[in-house]
mmCIF file of all heavy atoms in Angstrom:
data_model
loop_
_atom_site.group_PDB
_atom_site.id
_atom_site.type_symbol
_atom_site.label_atom_id
_atom_site.label_comp_id
_atom_site.label_asym_id
_atom_site.label_seq_id
_atom_site.Cartn_x
_atom_site.Cartn_y
_atom_site.Cartn_z
ATOM 1 N N ILE A 1 0.815 -1.207 0.038
ATOM 2 C CA ILE A 1 0.000 -0.005 0.029
ATOM 3 C C ILE A 1 0.867 1.260 0.001
ATOM 4 O O ILE A 1 0.314 2.329 0.080
ATOM 5 C CB ILE A 1 -0.972 0.030 1.173
ATOM 6 C CG1 ILE A 1 -0.230 -0.047 2.540
ATOM 7 C CG2 ILE A 1 -1.990 -1.122 1.070
ATOM 8 C CD1 ILE A 1 -1.107 0.068 3.768
ATOM 9 N N TYR A 2 2.157 1.141 -0.064
ATOM 10 C CA TYR A 2 3.051 2.268 -0.200
ATOM 11 C C TYR A 2 3.969 2.098 -1.381
ATOM 12 O O TYR A 2 4.134 0.940 -1.923
ATOM 13 C CB TYR A 2 3.889 2.480 1.052
ATOM 14 C CG TYR A 2 3.005 2.867 2.240
ATOM 15 C CD1 TYR A 2 2.671 1.945 3.244
ATOM 16 C CD2 TYR A 2 2.528 4.186 2.363
ATOM 17 C CE1 TYR A 2 1.838 2.337 4.288
ATOM 18 C CE2 TYR A 2 1.739 4.538 3.419
ATOM 19 C CZ TYR A 2 1.410 3.619 4.365
ATOM 20 O OH TYR A 2 0.571 3.975 5.429
ATOM 21 N N ASN A 3 4.630 3.099 -1.838
ATOM 22 C CA ASN A 3 5.376 3.054 -3.118
ATOM 23 C C ASN A 3 6.825 2.597 -2.867
ATOM 24 O O ASN A 3 7.766 3.356 -3.115
ATOM 25 C CB ASN A 3 5.298 4.429 -3.775
ATOM 26 C CG ASN A 3 5.815 4.408 -5.197
ATOM 27 O OD1 ASN A 3 5.781 3.347 -5.804
ATOM 28 N ND2 ASN A 3 6.252 5.526 -5.700
ATOM 29 N N SER A 4 6.949 1.397 -2.328
ATOM 30 C CA SER A 4 8.322 0.860 -2.035
ATOM 31 C C SER A 4 8.441 -0.457 -2.775
ATOM 32 O O SER A 4 7.618 -1.361 -2.616
ATOM 33 C CB SER A 4 8.516 0.652 -0.569
ATOM 34 O OG SER A 4 8.457 1.855 0.157
ATOM 35 N N ARG A 5 9.522 -0.561 -3.519
ATOM 36 C CA ARG A 5 9.833 -1.805 -4.250
ATOM 37 C C ARG A 5 11.320 -2.154 -4.059
ATOM 38 O O ARG A 5 12.148 -1.329 -4.017
ATOM 39 C CB ARG A 5 9.521 -1.643 -5.753
ATOM 40 C CG ARG A 5 8.038 -1.441 -6.058
ATOM 41 C CD ARG A 5 7.736 -1.055 -7.487
ATOM 42 N NE ARG A 5 6.328 -0.788 -7.664
ATOM 43 C CZ ARG A 5 5.346 -1.656 -7.985
ATOM 44 N NH1 ARG A 5 5.697 -2.895 -8.255
ATOM 45 N NH2 ARG A 5 4.136 -1.234 -8.074
ATOM 46 N N VAL A 6 11.571 -3.508 -3.953
ATOM 47 C CA VAL A 6 12.897 -3.869 -3.626
ATOM 48 C C VAL A 6 13.215 -5.237 -4.197
ATOM 49 O O VAL A 6 12.274 -6.042 -4.427
ATOM 50 C CB VAL A 6 13.075 -3.970 -2.102
ATOM 51 C CG1 VAL A 6 12.267 -5.049 -1.497
ATOM 52 C CG2 VAL A 6 14.522 -4.076 -1.706
ATOM 53 N N SER A 7 14.477 -5.530 -4.467
ATOM 54 C CA SER A 7 14.891 -6.844 -4.796
ATOM 55 C C SER A 7 15.785 -7.288 -3.682
ATOM 56 O O SER A 7 16.877 -6.732 -3.404
ATOM 57 C CB SER A 7 15.768 -6.891 -6.114
ATOM 58 O OG SER A 7 16.375 -8.110 -6.286
ATOM 59 N N LEU A 8 15.362 -8.263 -2.911
ATOM 60 C CA LEU A 8 16.122 -8.689 -1.699
ATOM 61 C C LEU A 8 17.494 -9.124 -2.016
ATOM 62 O O LEU A 8 18.401 -8.800 -1.285
ATOM 63 C CB LEU A 8 15.309 -9.858 -0.983
ATOM 64 C CG LEU A 8 13.981 -9.442 -0.375
ATOM 65 C CD1 LEU A 8 13.253 -10.679 0.111
ATOM 66 C CD2 LEU A 8 14.143 -8.423 0.771
ATOM 67 N N ARG A 9 17.690 -9.814 -3.135
ATOM 68 C CA ARG A 9 19.031 -10.328 -3.428
ATOM 69 C C ARG A 9 19.977 -9.164 -3.733
ATOM 70 O O ARG A 9 21.176 -9.289 -3.415
ATOM 71 C CB ARG A 9 18.943 -11.304 -4.631
ATOM 72 C CG ARG A 9 18.552 -10.685 -5.975
ATOM 73 C CD ARG A 9 18.490 -11.678 -7.094
ATOM 74 N NE ARG A 9 17.419 -12.585 -6.946
ATOM 75 C CZ ARG A 9 17.096 -13.570 -7.756
ATOM 76 N NH1 ARG A 9 17.859 -13.787 -8.802
ATOM 77 N NH2 ARG A 9 16.045 -14.333 -7.546
ATOM 78 N N GLU A 10 19.462 -8.046 -4.250
ATOM 79 C CA GLU A 10 20.322 -6.884 -4.531
ATOM 80 C C GLU A 10 20.710 -6.224 -3.200
ATOM 81 O O GLU A 10 21.723 -5.549 -3.159
ATOM 82 C CB GLU A 10 19.678 -5.923 -5.522
ATOM 83 C CG GLU A 10 19.548 -6.485 -6.914
ATOM 84 C CD GLU A 10 19.001 -5.481 -7.923
ATOM 85 O OE1 GLU A 10 18.737 -4.344 -7.510
ATOM 86 O OE2 GLU A 10 18.840 -5.866 -9.073
ATOM 87 N N ILE A 11 19.938 -6.331 -2.230
ATOM 88 C CA ILE A 11 20.218 -5.779 -0.889
ATOM 89 C C ILE A 11 21.184 -6.663 -0.143
ATOM 90 O O ILE A 11 21.793 -6.236 0.824
ATOM 91 C CB ILE A 11 18.879 -5.636 -0.115
ATOM 92 C CG1 ILE A 11 17.946 -4.638 -0.837
ATOM 93 C CG2 ILE A 11 19.103 -5.157 1.307
ATOM 94 C CD1 ILE A 11 18.437 -3.255 -0.951
ATOM 95 N N GLY A 12 21.323 -7.877 -0.569
ATOM 96 C CA GLY A 12 22.220 -8.839 0.146
ATOM 97 C C GLY A 12 21.486 -9.768 1.046
ATOM 98 O O GLY A 12 22.066 -10.408 1.930
ATOM 99 N N ILE A 13 20.201 -9.895 0.840
ATOM 100 C CA ILE A 13 19.394 -10.850 1.616
ATOM 101 C C ILE A 13 18.980 -11.996 0.664
ATOM 102 O O ILE A 13 18.179 -11.791 -0.263
ATOM 103 C CB ILE A 13 18.108 -10.138 2.177
ATOM 104 C CG1 ILE A 13 18.515 -8.970 3.084
ATOM 105 C CG2 ILE A 13 17.239 -11.134 2.880
ATOM 106 C CD1 ILE A 13 17.374 -8.113 3.540
ATOM 107 N N ARG A 14 19.480 -13.160 0.961
ATOM 108 C CA ARG A 14 19.255 -14.316 0.065
ATOM 109 C C ARG A 14 18.277 -15.290 0.699
ATOM 110 O O ARG A 14 18.553 -15.832 1.791
ATOM 111 C CB ARG A 14 20.578 -14.989 -0.225
ATOM 112 C CG ARG A 14 21.521 -14.044 -1.019
ATOM 113 C CD ARG A 14 22.951 -14.585 -1.136
ATOM 114 N NE ARG A 14 23.783 -13.691 -1.796
ATOM 115 C CZ ARG A 14 24.368 -12.567 -1.263
ATOM 116 N NH1 ARG A 14 24.205 -12.364 0.053
ATOM 117 N NH2 ARG A 14 25.131 -11.762 -1.986
ATOM 118 N N VAL A 15 17.130 -15.527 0.103
ATOM 119 C CA VAL A 15 16.181 -16.429 0.628
ATOM 120 C C VAL A 15 15.837 -17.610 -0.310
ATOM 121 O O VAL A 15 14.949 -18.388 -0.103
ATOM 122 C CB VAL A 15 14.836 -15.670 0.883
ATOM 123 C CG1 VAL A 15 14.997 -14.645 1.994
ATOM 124 C CG2 VAL A 15 14.255 -15.018 -0.329
ATOM 125 N N GLY A 16 16.635 -17.722 -1.383
ATOM 126 C CA GLY A 16 16.489 -18.779 -2.332
ATOM 127 C C GLY A 16 16.510 -20.193 -1.619
ATOM 128 O O GLY A 16 17.471 -20.489 -0.836
ATOM 129 N N GLY A 17 15.534 -21.027 -1.883
ATOM 130 C CA GLY A 17 15.420 -22.315 -1.226
ATOM 131 C C GLY A 17 14.962 -22.290 0.161
ATOM 132 O O GLY A 17 14.795 -23.335 0.816
ATOM 133 N N ARG A 18 14.642 -21.085 0.684
ATOM 134 C CA ARG A 18 14.178 -20.983 2.057
ATOM 135 C C ARG A 18 12.913 -20.086 2.080
ATOM 136 O O ARG A 18 12.728 -19.340 2.970
ATOM 137 C CB ARG A 18 15.258 -20.384 2.954
ATOM 138 C CG ARG A 18 16.454 -21.289 3.136
ATOM 139 C CD ARG A 18 17.435 -20.717 4.141
ATOM 140 N NE ARG A 18 18.019 -19.512 3.710
ATOM 141 C CZ ARG A 18 19.146 -19.371 2.950
ATOM 142 N NH1 ARG A 18 19.815 -20.518 2.590
ATOM 143 N NH2 ARG A 18 19.643 -18.196 2.602
ATOM 144 N N SER A 19 12.057 -20.303 1.083
ATOM 145 C CA SER A 19 10.818 -19.519 0.975
ATOM 146 C C SER A 19 9.610 -20.515 1.084
ATOM 147 O O SER A 19 9.628 -21.579 0.483
ATOM 148 C CB SER A 19 10.706 -18.742 -0.358
ATOM 149 O OG SER A 19 11.590 -17.663 -0.365
ATOM 150 N N SER A 20 8.646 -20.114 1.909
ATOM 151 C CA SER A 20 7.389 -20.893 2.030
ATOM 152 C C SER A 20 6.246 -20.034 1.657
ATOM 153 O O SER A 20 6.266 -18.801 1.802
ATOM 154 C CB SER A 20 7.241 -21.381 3.465
ATOM 155 O OG SER A 20 8.357 -22.102 3.872
ATOM 156 N N ARG A 21 5.195 -20.683 1.171
ATOM 157 C CA ARG A 21 3.995 -19.967 0.686
ATOM 158 C C ARG A 21 2.752 -20.542 1.375
ATOM 159 O O ARG A 21 2.534 -21.737 1.257
ATOM 160 C CB ARG A 21 3.854 -20.033 -0.810
ATOM 161 C CG ARG A 21 2.684 -19.251 -1.408
ATOM 162 C CD ARG A 21 2.915 -19.179 -2.939
ATOM 163 N NE ARG A 21 1.786 -18.504 -3.611
ATOM 164 C CZ ARG A 21 0.778 -19.194 -4.193
ATOM 165 N NH1 ARG A 21 0.847 -20.548 -4.213
ATOM 166 N NH2 ARG A 21 -0.179 -18.561 -4.753
ATOM 167 N N LEU A 22 2.005 -19.701 2.082
ATOM 168 C CA LEU A 22 0.806 -20.145 2.715
ATOM 169 C C LEU A 22 -0.387 -19.851 1.773
ATOM 170 O O LEU A 22 -0.485 -18.750 1.216
ATOM 171 C CB LEU A 22 0.561 -19.409 4.052
ATOM 172 C CG LEU A 22 1.719 -19.588 5.093
ATOM 173 C CD1 LEU A 22 1.444 -18.698 6.287
ATOM 174 C CD2 LEU A 22 1.808 -21.041 5.527
ATOM 175 N N THR A 23 -1.278 -20.823 1.620
ATOM 176 C CA THR A 23 -2.347 -20.634 0.628
ATOM 177 C C THR A 23 -3.767 -20.679 1.192
ATOM 178 O O THR A 23 -4.726 -20.330 0.457
ATOM 179 C CB THR A 23 -2.206 -21.695 -0.477
ATOM 180 O OG1 THR A 23 -2.320 -22.994 0.166
ATOM 181 C CG2 THR A 23 -0.910 -21.585 -1.294
ATOM 182 N N VAL A 24 -3.951 -21.073 2.404
ATOM 183 C CA VAL A 24 -5.230 -21.243 2.949
ATOM 184 C C VAL A 24 -5.595 -20.000 3.798
ATOM 185 O O VAL A 24 -4.891 -19.661 4.767
ATOM 186 C CB VAL A 24 -5.415 -22.510 3.871
ATOM 187 C CG1 VAL A 24 -6.788 -22.640 4.455
ATOM 188 C CG2 VAL A 24 -5.052 -23.718 3.052
ATOM 189 N N ASN A 25 -6.677 -19.357 3.422
ATOM 190 C CA ASN A 25 -7.175 -18.194 4.172
ATOM 191 C C ASN A 25 -8.041 -18.670 5.324
ATOM 192 O O ASN A 25 -9.021 -19.354 5.089
ATOM 193 C CB ASN A 25 -8.011 -17.280 3.207
ATOM 194 C CG ASN A 25 -8.481 -16.011 3.837
ATOM 195 O OD1 ASN A 25 -9.183 -16.065 4.824
ATOM 196 N ND2 ASN A 25 -8.095 -14.871 3.262
ATOM 197 N N TYR A 26 -7.701 -18.257 6.542
ATOM 198 C CA TYR A 26 -8.426 -18.646 7.722
ATOM 199 C C TYR A 26 -9.290 -17.570 8.240
ATOM 200 O O TYR A 26 -9.948 -17.718 9.317
ATOM 201 C CB TYR A 26 -7.419 -19.132 8.836
ATOM 202 C CG TYR A 26 -6.567 -20.265 8.453
ATOM 203 C CD1 TYR A 26 -5.301 -20.084 7.999
ATOM 204 C CD2 TYR A 26 -7.078 -21.541 8.595
ATOM 205 C CE1 TYR A 26 -4.517 -21.142 7.570
ATOM 206 C CE2 TYR A 26 -6.296 -22.629 8.204
ATOM 207 C CZ TYR A 26 -5.031 -22.419 7.690
ATOM 208 O OH TYR A 26 -4.247 -23.498 7.308
ATOM 209 N N ARG A 27 -9.396 -16.443 7.546
ATOM 210 C CA ARG A 27 -10.180 -15.320 8.037
ATOM 211 C C ARG A 27 -11.412 -15.084 7.167
ATOM 212 O O ARG A 27 -12.520 -14.873 7.699
ATOM 213 C CB ARG A 27 -9.290 -14.055 8.017
ATOM 214 C CG ARG A 27 -10.055 -12.777 8.487
ATOM 215 C CD ARG A 27 -9.151 -11.637 8.566
ATOM 216 N NE ARG A 27 -8.572 -11.218 7.308
ATOM 217 C CZ ARG A 27 -7.315 -10.796 7.133
ATOM 218 N NH1 ARG A 27 -6.445 -10.807 8.179
ATOM 219 N NH2 ARG A 27 -6.828 -10.427 5.980
ATOM 220 N N THR A 28 -11.287 -15.050 5.856
ATOM 221 C CA THR A 28 -12.272 -14.501 5.012
ATOM 222 C C THR A 28 -13.062 -15.630 4.307
ATOM 223 O O THR A 28 -12.444 -16.686 3.955
ATOM 224 C CB THR A 28 -11.622 -13.619 3.925
ATOM 225 O OG1 THR A 28 -10.900 -12.581 4.597
ATOM 226 C CG2 THR A 28 -12.658 -12.975 3.034
ATOM 227 N N THR A 29 -14.324 -15.438 4.029
ATOM 228 C CA THR A 29 -15.116 -16.458 3.296
ATOM 229 C C THR A 29 -14.610 -16.568 1.931
ATOM 230 O O THR A 29 -13.976 -15.651 1.367
ATOM 231 C CB THR A 29 -16.573 -16.108 3.284
ATOM 232 O OG1 THR A 29 -16.767 -14.884 2.519
ATOM 233 C CG2 THR A 29 -17.164 -15.917 4.663
#
């Protein structure tokens, strides 16, 4: 909701192979 964009790898933060994705919404119908 704000105008900030970043590439983590260019900042020096490497998350390759250590990313998880949650897909089930427990709040909204």
Side-chain angles (χ1 to χ4, degrees):
I1 60 176
Y2 293 103
N3 193 22
S4 296
R5 295 171 186 267
V6 68
S7 170
L8 292 175
R9 68 180 70 180
E10 291 184 2
I11 298 296
I13 300 172
R14 297 169 181 83
V15 295
R18 295 185 294 272
S19 289
S20 304
R21 183 168 175 260
L22 303 174
T23 57
V24 179
N25 182 303
Y26 298 96
R27 177 175 65 218
T28 304
T29 65

